[in-house]
Amino acid sequence: MEDPAQTERPASTIEVSGSDAARIAWAAFVGTALEWYDYFLFGTAAALVFNRLFFTELDATAATLAAFATFGVGFAARPLGALVFGYIGDRYGRRPALLITIVMIGCATGLIGVLPDYLAIGIAAPVMLAVLRLLQGLAVGGEWGGAMTLAVEHAPIERRGRFAALIQIGSPVGTLISSGAFALVLLLPPDEFDSWGWRLPFLGAFPLLAVALYIRLKVEESPIFKDLVALDERAKVPALDVFRRSGGRLLVAIAAAMLGVGGFYMMTTFVVSYGTNTLGVDRGVMVNATLIAAVFQIVVTVFAGRFAERFGPGKMTVVGGLATAAAAFPLFWLIDTGSPLAIIAAVTIGIALITIAYAVTGALLTDLFPPRLRYSGVSLGYNIAGALSGFLPLIATAFLAATGGASWSAALLLIGISLITAVGGAIGERLRVHDKPIVHQSR
């Protein structure tokens, strides 16, 4: 059956004002920053808090495994969220889907801040934590793909790399806010941190949600989606069409996105746990390493977005994948020294290399699918990659236990997903499709 991505598109152009495009990109960025704030917050708490307060009856290794398993539940739920919100976004509009996802993410995160721990309510505590993580995952399954689709569909084709990169900056900004929040509460005495301090960053999701929702309510629908409605070209069951008619493109999207999701959590969530629980490094050092890395990630994201416009997002994905694979063992050797400076350098360099691929993921994935399937295709590709790689911290921790704490097993995992992403980028560059030109009108 014919791949819809190969069909001819009308030669006409779509007009949109420059101010509208900038406002849409900003709204997408703010929502994505909140999304990543919530997700990174949970990852840090899984390494430092949940293993002790919500899985109290388990030994140290089992508790960490259980905490990371709960962390991974959110990734497992993301493909389902991609199906649900992809349907809404491709059938009824990008805007309504994104309003729902941002409310779900903010509320689920805020409610974690009021959960009783294991000593207060027993087994119900980790169960409720897993349920809220599940809701987070469902919402995130539709958030990133929708935000990326909406922003890119307002951008001129020749400037899509920078618009897509702006959305990706939400990741390091979310890291900065969440890590900064945790760094502050870690200054509290241990008893106070365990009692109430760790809850404050989660409760902070509520005011952040209010700001993000206010901004997002002002956005306009994608002009490309409006065009689909006018021409009656919407898919009836978008996800089904993605699997039946663009299955190969979906596989490429999954491969291209693996490193940006899984690799990042290897260098943050897993490394924070490894440094704290295995090497005995102060947890404040580990959290501060992610803070410093996030600053560099913003810079790399900006430049990678511009380079993607010149060389193509697929080629940049290949560069990021190969560079990360080559650096994997040296990075973990630095971490194994236990030196705070070496650890900060390793985390910063590792995240910077991963970001070369991550920064252009949105530009590449949106170019892999035609507009009528884009929300579903992008969301499914990205979130299936997340479901597959989100358990890497859990797998790496299990390997550590099996090998007596040897970090080479974690390095091999990082190399594996780096090479998968490099292959995805190489193939994806050849499969990119082209939309109607977007012409910005001043007003």
Side-chain angles (χ1 to χ4, degrees):
M1 185 173 291
E2 184 184 22
D3 188 331
Q6 305 298 328
T7 60
E8 290 290 329
R9 299 291 299 161
S12 60
T13 61
I14 294 175
E15 296 184 359
V16 62
S17 74
S19 60
D20 284 344
R23 186 169 63 252
I24 298 300
W26 173 246
F29 159 76
V30 171
T32 304
L34 174 61
E35 167 197 348
W36 290 122
Y37 169 81
D38 296 346
Y39 240 61
F40 296 155
L41 203 61
F42 197 104
T44 303
L48 301 179
V49 178
F50 298 150
N51 57 328
R52 295 183 297 104
L53 300 184
F54 284 79
F55 301 96
T56 308
E57 293 299 305
L58 303 175
D59 63 54
T61 299
T64 300
L65 288 171
F68 280 153
T70 305
F71 178 70
V73 164
F75 286 97
R78 283 165 60 165
L80 179 57
L83 288 172
V84 172
F85 292 106
Y87 177 81
I88 296 172
D90 283 329
R91 284 292 301 170
Y92 302 105
R94 301 8 177 162
R95 184 177 182 272
L98 287 172
L99 290 174
I100 298 171
T101 58
I102 200 69
V103 172
M104 286 181 62
I105 292 171
C107 289
T109 302
L111 289 174
I112 290 174
V114 299
L115 276 184
D117 61 22
Y118 188 93
L119 291 179
I121 60 173
I123 192 65
V127 170
M128 293 170 67
L129 180 67
V131 169
L132 289 175
R133 178 61 173 171
L134 183 68
L135 291 176
Q136 262 191 344
L138 288 172
V140 170
E143 167 64 29
W144 183 88
M148 188 63 68
T149 297
L150 189 65
V152 165
E153 288 186 343
H154 276 85
I157 291 175
E158 70 278 5
R159 298 177 65 190
R160 282 186 168 182
R162 69 191 70 182
F163 272 74
L166 175 62
I167 310 306
Q168 299 299 70
I169 291 176
S171 172
V173 168
T175 302
L176 282 170
I177 300 174
S178 62
S179 296
F182 248 101
L184 287 175
V185 296
L186 281 171
L187 297 176
L188 293 168
D191 289 344
E192 293 186 25
F193 173 79
D194 287 350
S195 175
W196 55 268
W198 69 269
R199 300 178 183 277
L200 296 181
F202 287 94
L203 293 173
F206 286 128
L208 290 175
L209 168 62
V211 174
L213 186 60
Y214 173 78
I215 294 174
R216 191 159 282 186
L217 282 169
K218 294 179 176 293
V219 307
E220 296 184 14
E221 185 55 82
S222 158
I224 290 180
F225 180 78
K226 292 179 180 178
D227 192 49
L228 289 175
V229 174
L231 298 174
D232 195 25
E233 291 185 351
R234 288 172 294 173
K236 292 184 177 180
V237 186
L240 182 60
D241 280 357
V242 169
F243 286 112
R244 291 175 56 190
R245 306 178 70 179
S246 293
R249 292 172 180 273
L250 179 60
L251 289 176
V252 171
I254 293 169
M258 287 283 284
L259 179 60
V261 183
F264 183 87
Y265 284 110
M266 283 289 294
M267 292 304 302
T268 53
T269 300
F270 170 73
V271 168
V272 167
S273 174
Y274 175 62
T276 302
N277 300 323
T278 302
L279 300 181
V281 178
D282 182 78
R283 57 189 179 183
V285 171
M286 304 308 301
V287 172
N288 288 334
T290 64
L291 270 173
I292 295 170
V295 175
F296 283 88
Q297 188 182 10
I298 293 173
V299 177
V300 174
T301 299
V302 171
F303 281 99
R306 294 298 182 95
F307 283 129
E309 294 173 356
R310 182 173 181 180
F311 301 108
K315 292 179 182 178
M316 294 301 298
T317 302
V318 172
V319 171
L322 294 180
T324 304
F329 275 108
L331 291 175
F332 276 95
W333 292 337
L334 281 173
I335 293 169
D336 284 342
T337 66
S339 163
L341 289 178
I343 290 172
I344 291 171
V347 173
T348 301
I349 294 170
I351 290 178
L353 294 177
I354 290 167
T355 299
I356 297 173
Y358 176 73
V360 302
T361 299
L364 180 59
L365 266 60
T366 51
D367 277 357
L368 282 175
F369 300 96
R372 65 191 295 270
L373 304 179
R374 180 165 290 146
Y375 198 131
S376 295
V378 170
S379 296
L380 283 168
Y382 187 77
N383 289 295
I384 291 175
L388 294 174
S389 61
F391 286 95
L392 284 177
L394 170 66
I395 296 171
T397 301
F399 281 179
L400 278 180
T403 59
S407 65
W408 59 261
S409 56
L412 286 178
L413 282 175
L414 184 57
I415 290 172
I417 61 171
S418 298
L419 295 179
I420 290 172
T421 288
V423 172
I427 299 174
E429 184 65 31
R430 301 187 179 194
L431 295 178
R432 295 169 62 198
V433 299
H434 300 286
D435 293 340
K436 297 178 182 180
I438 300 290
V439 178
H440 280 196
Q441 301 295 323
S442 60
R443 66 182 185 185

